[in-house]
Amino acid sequence: MQSILPVNGDLPGYERRKACAPLIVPTNKRLEALCDEKGVTYLDVWGALADENGNLDKRYTLDGLHLKGEGYLVWRDVIKPHVK
């Protein structure tokens, strides 16, 4: 299972994303704990895509939610070692 990706509500026109951002980290912690309990691998994609403020890094998005090419490459690099 992978983490929920970060969002970025600091981009003009996409401020509504800020309401979701504080819910992501605690939810990811719960997902990680559930994975530990069930013996399932947990992949932290959030950490690879978040900037120093916990937002989806602007290098990886145009709208604060959807990834662009560079973001998908980061995502790929996180999950690739776990895919057979």
Side-chain angles (χ1 to χ4, degrees):
M1 177 177 285
Q2 71 173 34
S3 62
I4 299 169
L5 305 182
V7 296
N8 191 325
D10 292 339
L11 298 170
Y14 297 99
E15 294 83 5
R16 290 188 297 171
R17 308 227 193 286
K18 281 188 181 212
C20 299
L23 303 173
I24 295 173
V25 171
T27 303
N28 280 340
K29 289 185 183 300
R30 292 179 69 189
L31 288 172
E32 185 174 16
L34 180 62
C35 287
D36 287 344
E37 178 185 316
K38 300 294 183 182
V40 174
T41 301
Y42 175 79
L43 304 176
D44 179 20
V45 182
W46 183 94
L49 293 168
D51 66 14
E52 64 278 353
N53 297 314
N55 294 314
L56 177 55
D57 194 307
K58 292 176 184 175
R59 295 176 295 170
Y60 306 135
T61 187
L62 295 174
D63 66 3
L65 180 64
H66 300 96
L67 297 177
K68 59 183 189 177
E70 293 176 41
Y72 281 110
L73 294 176
V74 172
W75 189 356
R76 177 205 61 193
D77 291 344
V78 172
I79 67 172
K80 189 174 183 177
H82 304 277
V83 177
K84 297 180 184 181

